[in-house]
Amino acid sequence: MDLYTMNCELVATCSALGYLEGDTYHKEPDCLESIKDLIRYLRHEDETRDVRQQLGATQILQSDLLPILIQHHQDKPLFDAVVRLMVNLTQPALLCFGSVPKEPSFRHHFLQVLTYLQAYKEAFASEKAFGVLSETLYELLQLGWEERQEEDNLLIERILLLVRNILHVPADPDQEKSIDDDASVHDQLLWAIHLSGLDDLLLFLASSPAEQQWSLHVLEIISLMFRDQNPAQLAGVGQGRVAQERSTDVAELEVLRHREMAEKKTRALQRSNRHSRFGGSYIVQGLKSIGERDVIFHKGLHNLQNYSSDMGKQRRRVPKCRQAARELSSERRSALNVRLFLRDFCSELLENCYNRLMGSVKDYLLREKAQQHDETYYMWALAFFMAFNRAAAFRPGLVSETLSVRTFHFIEQNLTNYYEMMLTDRKEAVSWARRMHLALKAYQELLATLNEMDMSSDEAVRESSRIIKNNIFYVMEYRELFLALFRKFDERCQPRSFLRDLVETTHLFLKMLERFCRSRRNLVVQNKRKKRKKKKKVLDQPAASDNVPCSPEELEAMWPALTEQLKCCAQAPELSLDSVPFDAASEVPVEEQRAEAMVRIQDCLLAGQAPQALSLLRSAREVWPEGDVFGCQDISPEEEIQLLKQILSAPLPRQQEPEEQGAEEEEEEEEEEEELQVVQVSEKEFSFLDYLRRFACSTVVRAYVLLLRSYKQNSAHTNHCVVKMLHRLAHDLKMEALLFQLSLFCLFNRLLSDPAAGAYKELVTFAKYILAKFFALTAVNPKAFVELLFWKNTAVVREMTEGYGSLDGGSSSRRPTMWSPEEEAQLRELYLTHKDVEGQDVVDAILAHLPTAPRTRKQIIHHLVRLGLADSVKDFQRKGTDIVLWTEDQELELQRLFEEFQDSDDVLGHIMKNITAKRSRARIVDKLMALGLVTERRELYKKRRKKLAPSSLPSGEESLKDFCQEDIKEEESLSEENCEDEEEEGLGVDQAQGSSVLPTEDLGQNLHQEGFSAPLLWLQNCLIRVADDREEDSCSQSVPLVPLTEENEEAMENEQFQQLLRKLGVRPPASGQETFWRIPAKLSPTYLRRVAASLSQRREEEKLHPELELKAPGEQGPDEEHRAQALRALLLARKKKAGLASLGEEGATDGKEQLKAAPKKRQLLDSDEEQEEDEGRNKAPELGASGIQKKKRFHIEDEDESD
């Protein structure tokens, strides 16, 4: 950053700190206040961290703060303020910005802050600075808890945070470029910590019971100290080269030697270095070029083996979202003296501090006293120090705190949590994958320690390992963990090192499990199975309702035996009333479940269970006492028996359900019924081969092949783990065909042609084994060559080896049922016949008329969707039951209430308030019409009396409009309530659509006046064309409105035109996905024609009556007069029908004469069926005066007879 652009206040504050003269720093009198001002400035910096960058550019920490810290540490207030400022300045860049910024500008600021932090770390790599910090920390720790003040605890925490911040700064690979055994900046920092004695203070804090509050700080500092170290290499420092390291180095040198010899042999076979133009040209027969001719090769024959069609092509760029995750962790060997110091530190920590430190940290984590994600330091320490203990002199007692079943459970729980969060939180998937990798390494080290304990010479150690393994192998979650991690492996989030550790951990787990199974004859493990229970609609329904005797003779024959049982039970006072007559979990309200209770009582009687039927009857009487449906409260036993006889002989309506449901129905998910998952825990005998078969899937094999591609970079142990698993699948499970895949064969080809193939003997042997099996199969099954292109599952493998169609003889419960072409044609014909029939379920009708093999309801629904006759399974969902029983007393009560309130303004409202058995509005309307008390629904509408103003035509017109609008609102509300109980929803849609026709008149008129006549005509033609198409195809889908002319495009961008489209029900384009407005699929053809007709009305009126435009604004045109007369005629008809006071005959005759004088009119009509246009022309006035019985509303254009 340019110093000239710095804030002048910051420059002045930095200048007031002091100055350095030689090695002596002279502080100014206002030094303490200036440091406090800098702290205040940092507190108010902006999101780009400008103050932090300016202070880093001035190198204030190197030139001022460190000299003050070293030379003036006796001044306690100044020392405390300097430490506070240093902690703030060395704060990690990730904490400053929250995360790595994606925007280029903010990323530049992030990298700039990171550069300053790396400069701070290099400046701190001195013994003097850490000597002052360790000396101050030692003095504070000498104080007892009763002498230590709050300021002392804060200073201890700040010193630990300062050390943490300095160690946290990442290395700069471009600046350091250090090699192994060279001292990096981090090594210099560690050596300064060692020389200052700060490492001993950290061990004291980790081991002291009185200092447990600093456990998490200490563990975080220790994890940063060993950031780049390998525990196995660190344990062998100073002991000479072990045999394993020597064998590894020899193997690597052998690979390099083989490759070098192959390259020399290749160069010796090449021709002399003549220019390529003199090498000649060759035709490669059998290898086609882009055209039909053979390839012409213009180089020497020694280069022919390297020929590829991809030569010279530009490599396709992989999108950033699909690139493989990068490796962030790196290991390097530090300088020898630093490694010796770290080895001794690990040994002392294991002997004196490990168990106590890990116990206190675990307690903090379980009590949620730690910060978020602090458990990652715990898992790192577990994996690192247990690996160090295993590589050094293995002593299980040193790591006993973390060697238990509880630790296994803690690691598995966190690993599962990270796994689930990686799948759900996609934005932070990479961070969750890193945490999951730490948990996996901890889990791997726990298993490795158990495996090491099995080889111990101490019997107690082996017994402890056996007990832990018995608990681990018994629980199902530990066995299923690896399968879940393999199936959800994503190389975009998880690096190749995670896959390597996962493969090695799985190999170790399988080896231990196989050895454990061999040592025991039978192993019993825990098994959890999710059982799907379908929510029952009726509780305790007898199973004897299959054969219901329908004839009265059979019922009469059954009744004497039931009577004897009922007489014995009716006198028994101890008859149980525990039976619940309703389903509390059902979506149907309790008051509407009386019909189902009645059916259950009838089923009990038919099954011969008279006591249960009587118990249900009495329980139902307690639940539904109103109306005495199940008898009155003081009913005698004889009357109960007679009531049960009536129930037995009553033709009660039942829900039609398919009786037999196959295994396929129980397996499929159904939208209609709610399914409850219950986890059943049981025990079973464990089979290792059955468990191994769980890994025989394409996702697991694909992950292993992905790791095998980098066999050159893999260690020998990693390659062995990969080959061992593939050999288990191919040889032990006899599934060689699972590995018959073209990408794997290309890898085998690259391996066999590798000059250093002799170093990979195990891989070469396995590749030859798989290839031999494949060519043996091709002699029997030539289609195996095509199968190479696909990843396969176990079913395909079986068909490849045993023959195609070999699975047909097995269980067919999971296979979809087959439909012949004749059955499909019959199903299509039945569906088209019964789909428009009102009042019946189309699937039930198909089941009743399908004469072929018996099908279930699910099979028919899914096949209808597969044939494209239905959009979704949801189209066939069953509504709630329509069964509502009305007793004779309830019918008489309803009739009495109707006669009492029929002259009131709100007949239906008064009936609903006073009726005893509460029912819905639609139920009462249906019953009134069934009893013949009303012939039309509109007779039950709420009536509002308003006086008209005949003297003034405008005021009278307004009152008529208000009356009609209120009447229309009543009709819509009642119609909408009625639609809730209907199975067919098309009627409700039409009613809702009809309500949007009225407001379009004014919009259309305004648009005509603004010059949008042509776009309106185009819109009208589009609506009519879509309506014709939907009637012809009998199916509908959304249709876009594509304007092809400039005039139509301008109209589609006009706000008033868009408002008209919304009024008509046309849907605007979805943001970011669509461009054009669309006519929704739910709009019926009738509605579309009605809307199109309303658009043309105003245009035709203007053509017929151009003189209307010449009227003065104060005068009334004939159109307004005729509209008012039409509304008055409609009002007169409705008042006559509703029994109100009628208007005089003179007004009616005047209305007729004025209607005849009008050349054209618009009238709102309600009708149950569509009227013919000619009938509407001739009988428009009579329709206005007659009773209106329609549910649908239309605009009908009537022309005068004189025309």
Side-chain angles (χ1 to χ4, degrees), residues 1023-1024 1027-1029 1031 1084-1094:
L1023 295 174
I1024 295 175
D1028 295 338
D1029 294 341
E1031 283 187 349
S1084 63
T1086 306
Y1087 171 75
L1088 293 175
R1089 287 198 175 89
R1090 230 173 32 241
V1091 168
S1094 65

Side-chain angles (χ1 to χ4, degrees), residues 296-574:
I296 300 177
F297 191 68
H298 296 283
K299 295 184 179 180
L301 291 178
H302 58 277
N303 294 320
L304 183 60
Q305 60 181 358
N306 299 326
Y307 174 77
S308 173
S309 299
D310 296 330
M311 292 176 60
K313 293 182 181 179
Q314 186 177 3
R315 197 177 189 87
R316 178 175 295 180
R317 179 181 174 273
V318 181
K320 195 172 184 179
C321 59
R322 296 182 184 177
Q323 292 179 359
R326 294 180 299 174
E327 299 285 347
L328 296 179
S329 60
S330 60
E331 294 181 357
R332 60 175 300 274
R333 281 201 309 263
S334 301
L336 180 60
N337 55 346
V338 176
R339 282 186 288 157
L340 290 172
F341 150 63
L342 293 178
R343 184 201 62 184
D344 297 338
F345 185 88
C346 284
S347 301
E348 293 183 14
L349 182 68
L350 281 172
E351 291 181 2
N352 305 317
C353 314
Y354 179 80
N355 289 330
R356 185 181 298 276
L357 176 65
M358 298 298 282
S360 60
V361 171
K362 180 74 171 296
D363 183 67
Y364 273 104
L365 294 175
L366 294 179
R367 296 177 182 272
E368 297 182 354
K369 294 182 179 180
Q371 295 181 359
Q372 193 176 14
H373 307 314
D374 276 351
E375 71 276 0
T376 55
Y377 297 108
Y378 176 84
M379 290 184 288
W380 173 89
L382 185 150
F384 187 88
F385 290 107
M386 290 185 75
F388 182 87
N389 179 51
R390 189 168 48 83
F394 178 66
R395 288 186 290 175
L398 299 181
V399 292
S400 59
E401 175 63 32
T402 55
L403 196 59
S404 61
V405 180
R406 293 181 181 178
T407 309
F408 270 97
H409 175 67
F410 179 78
I411 299 299
E412 186 272 336
Q413 196 175 20
N414 282 279
L415 186 57
T416 306
N417 181 38
Y418 297 152
Y419 161 77
E420 294 175 352
M421 291 303 298
M422 188 192 71
L423 298 180
T424 54
D425 188 6
R426 301 304 300 176
K427 292 183 178 180
E428 299 294 332
V430 177
S431 300
W432 291 112
R434 294 175 193 165
R435 300 184 186 106
M436 187 165 58
H437 193 186
L438 283 175
L440 178 64
K441 295 181 72 172
Y443 196 84
Q444 178 186 11
E445 192 51 47
L446 286 173
L447 291 176
T449 304
L450 284 180
N451 188 44
E452 194 74 23
M453 291 172 65
D454 288 340
M455 304 175 186
S456 175
S457 58
D458 191 353
E459 180 63 28
V461 174
R462 294 199 302 271
E463 182 64 19
S464 300
S465 173
R466 188 190 64 80
I467 293 174
I468 294 176
K469 287 192 298 182
N470 199 5
N471 286 276
I472 297 305
F473 296 149
Y474 176 78
V475 180
M476 180 180 177
E477 283 76 10
Y478 298 113
R479 303 193 305 270
E480 299 292 326
L481 180 63
F482 301 102
L483 287 167
L485 294 180
F486 270 118
R487 287 171 180 168
K488 295 298 181 182
F489 173 75
D490 187 358
E491 61 177 337
R492 298 172 300 177
C493 306
Q494 298 163 307
R496 195 66 59 89
S497 58
F498 175 85
L499 182 59
R500 182 188 65 242
D501 291 334
L502 178 59
V503 168
E504 294 179 358
T505 309
T506 306
H507 171 77
L508 180 59
F509 184 82
L510 290 175
K511 185 174 69 173
M512 294 172 61
L513 181 58
E514 186 178 16
R515 188 168 62 239
F516 191 77
C517 292
R518 288 176 181 174
S519 63
R520 307 182 59 165
R521 292 184 179 179
N522 53 355
L523 176 63
V524 178
V525 297
Q526 185 187 67
N527 183 37
K528 293 182 180 180
R529 185 167 59 92
K530 289 184 178 180
K531 183 179 180 182
R532 291 181 176 179
K533 285 187 175 180
K534 293 189 177 179
K535 190 175 177 181
K536 297 180 180 179
K537 297 295 182 181
V538 181
L539 298 177
D540 303 330
Q541 184 172 353
S545 61
D546 295 338
N547 301 322
V548 180
C550 299
S551 62
E553 292 78 9
E554 294 178 352
L555 295 177
E556 289 294 336
M558 291 178 58
W559 181 245
L562 293 173
T563 305
E564 296 298 329
Q565 297 183 30
L566 290 173
K567 287 182 179 179
C568 297
C569 298
Q571 304 298 332
E574 65 275 4

Side-chain angles (χ1 to χ4, degrees), residues 23-87:
D23 294 336
T24 306
Y25 189 85
H26 302 277
K27 65 175 183 176
E28 297 289 344
D30 297 334
C31 181
L32 179 60
E33 297 300 327
S34 299
I35 291 177
K36 291 182 179 180
D37 290 339
L38 292 177
I39 296 174
R40 194 177 302 111
Y41 291 149
L42 285 171
R43 191 180 301 135
H44 298 288
E45 62 182 351
D46 60 4
E47 56 186 5
T48 62
R49 308 296 179 231
D50 55 340
V51 177
R52 194 176 304 271
Q53 293 189 54
Q54 294 178 28
L55 293 179
T58 58
Q59 300 183 357
I60 186 175
L61 187 138
Q62 297 93 317
S63 59
D64 294 287
L65 298 183
L66 274 178
I68 293 175
L69 179 75
I70 296 172
Q71 300 181 19
H72 300 278
H73 60 274
Q74 298 85 3
D75 190 350
K76 188 175 181 181
L78 181 61
F79 180 82
D80 191 7
V82 169
V83 172
R84 285 177 58 194
L85 181 58
M86 283 184 170
V87 170

Side-chain angles (χ1 to χ4, degrees), residues 110 254 263 345 348 541 684 791 807 920 928 963 1055:
F110 175 84
E254 189 70 20
E263 290 177 1
F345 185 88
E348 293 183 14
Q541 184 172 353
K684 68 174 184 179
W791 293 99
L807 297 180
S920 65
L928 288 173
F963 180 86
E1055 295 183 0

Side-chain angles (χ1 to χ4, degrees), residues 856-914:
T856 61
R857 180 181 179 88
K858 283 183 183 177
Q859 292 172 354
I860 291 178
I861 291 175
H862 283 285
H863 203 67
L864 287 173
V865 175
R866 195 175 296 114
L867 291 176
L869 297 175
D871 295 333
S872 172
V873 180
K874 298 180 180 181
D875 297 342
F876 301 97
Q877 287 187 7
R878 279 201 172 116
K879 306 289 183 180
T881 176
D882 294 335
I883 305 172
V884 178
L885 295 180
W886 288 78
T887 63
E888 185 178 356
D889 295 336
Q890 291 175 350
E891 292 179 355
L892 293 175
E893 180 188 16
L894 180 63
Q895 187 173 2
R896 178 181 57 80
L897 290 174
F898 175 77
E899 293 174 357
E900 181 179 354
F901 299 108
Q902 66 177 346
D903 295 330
S904 63
D905 293 337
D906 190 7
V907 182
L908 195 57
H910 289 298
I911 292 176
M912 292 185 66
K913 290 179 182 178
N914 294 278

Side-chain angles (χ1 to χ4, degrees), residues 132-143 201:
V132 172
L133 293 177
S134 60
E135 182 181 351
T136 306
L137 185 61
Y138 176 76
E139 294 175 356
L140 293 174
L141 293 177
Q142 290 295 321
L143 300 175
L201 294 177

Side-chain angles (χ1 to χ4, degrees), residues 576-589:
S576 175
L577 294 177
D578 296 338
S579 301
V580 181
F582 60 90
D583 185 3
S586 175
E587 296 180 358
V588 182

